[in-house]
Amino acid sequence: MRRRPRVTATDPGPGFHFRPGSRSGRVLIILHQENSSSGRVGQLLSRMGYDADIRRPVLGDPLPDSLDGHAGVVMFGGPMSANDPDEGIRRETRFMDVVLKSGKPFLGICLGAQILVNHLGGRVSGRDDGVVEIGWYGLEATPAGQKMMDWPPMVYQFHREGFDLPRGAELLATADLYPNQAFRYGENAWAVQFHAELTLAMMHRWAVRGAHRFSLPGAQQGCEHLDGRLVHDAALLEWLRQFLGRIFPADPVRP
């Protein structure tokens, strides 16, 4: 496996720079490609006072044995499947045991959500008819989700697989094609299938590099991705601000 130097808070990769600071205010950011970015999640966490410890296990970065030096974890999406035999994906799946035992906040996005589901014994798979969600699709909060906060009516998706709701999890949002869109497990583990983290530049890149997937059943064309952003993104961004505020304390604990 090709190894690369681990990216830390002082070298977070393309896009965003977190302030260097204490260990207790760090969030472990798990990415899945060399040029991936934490996007708006990273921006917002930085504004909330958190630092970043960015690692890419699929490229050889290690994962910590405990979360004593971290305030929480965000695991992002990627082009691979949570079912892949890649050792990096397997290590991330095993790492969920460390995360859940720690009681620290965890947010899984798309692939990150599916890795959590696999760890909890749920099933990750595509639809039998091959229909995907790539573009903008409707979202509906469940009664539990409605009690928690307001949810955006349309969200941005880029996935070919969905997941079953793990035993003991509380469904927060649903949709027509892939019914399980967001859930909470225990007090501190959260998972969402859709993408609220994309900056405009990131969406442009996805629309170019992922264009070969626009021919899949149910996928929208690139122009629809960008046009939809003009209409739907403001509500999605506001939801993300509120959602991160619920998951992570407003004032990171510092020595």
Side-chain angles (χ1 to χ4, degrees):
M1 176 184 293
R2 179 169 61 93
R3 291 188 172 270
R4 48 178 291 282
R6 181 166 61 84
V7 180
T8 65
T10 56
D11 180 19
F16 311 109
H17 292 272
F18 290 75
R19 300 175 300 103
S22 70
R23 291 173 60 81
S24 60
R26 291 195 307 170
V27 174
L28 180 62
I29 301 292
I30 298 177
L31 301 173
H32 294 99
Q33 297 183 90
E34 180 75 31
N35 296 317
S36 294
S37 166
S38 57
R40 300 193 302 199
V41 169
Q43 289 178 316
L44 292 170
L45 287 175
S46 181
R47 292 170 189 168
M48 292 165 65
Y50 289 96
D51 309 319
D53 178 5
I54 297 181
R55 308 196 190 193
R56 295 172 172 86
V58 296
L59 297 180
D61 288 348
L63 288 168
D65 294 329
S66 78
L67 290 179
D68 290 345
H70 296 86
V73 180
V74 183
M75 184 180 289
F76 286 81
M80 57 285 291
S81 169
N83 299 319
D84 286 348
D86 179 89
E87 178 55 26
I89 295 296
R90 290 179 173 178
R91 283 195 292 122
E92 290 183 30
T93 305
R94 294 193 298 268
F95 180 64
M96 291 310 308
D97 189 54
V98 174
V99 173
L100 295 177
K101 287 180 178 178
S102 76
K104 299 287 182 71
F106 170 82
L107 172 59
I109 300 172
C110 197
L111 175 61
Q114 295 167 3
I115 286 174
L116 173 61
V117 168
N118 264 355
H119 176 77
L120 295 173
R123 184 173 66 103
V124 174
S125 64
R127 285 172 54 104
D128 291 340
D129 59 7
V131 170
V132 303
E133 286 184 322
I134 296 178
W136 292 91
Y137 299 83
L139 185 77
E140 182 177 354
T142 65
Q146 292 172 7
K147 290 179 182 178
M148 189 181 79
M149 62 186 299
D150 291 330
W151 292 71
M154 298 287 288
V155 293
Y156 187 68
Q157 306 271 13
F158 214 109
H159 66 96
R160 294 174 293 175
E161 293 183 314
F163 51 78
D164 292 341
L165 187 68
R167 180 177 297 179
E170 182 177 44
L171 187 65
L172 301 175
T174 187
D176 291 337
L177 296 176
Y178 287 82
N180 300 317
Q181 289 287 333
F183 68 84
R184 179 178 184 175
Y185 182 81
E187 291 299 317
N188 297 304
W190 309 77
V192 296
Q193 179 62 74
F194 53 90
H195 295 276
E197 77 276 16
L198 268 67
T199 65
L200 179 59
M202 290 170 67
M203 185 171 287
H204 275 281
R205 288 198 300 270
W206 286 29
V208 172
R209 297 175 183 174
H212 61 285
R213 296 186 177 179
F214 297 163
S215 61
L216 294 172
Q220 299 169 13
Q221 298 304 301
C223 60
E224 298 175 86
H225 296 213
L226 299 171
D227 289 347
R229 186 181 181 92
L230 295 173
V231 179
H232 307 301
D233 187 62
L236 183 59
L237 176 57
E238 179 57 30
W239 170 85
L240 179 62
R241 289 194 186 99
Q242 296 183 29
F243 193 60
L244 290 177
R246 293 190 65 92
I247 297 174
F248 292 93
D251 297 312
V253 176
R254 299 186 182 278

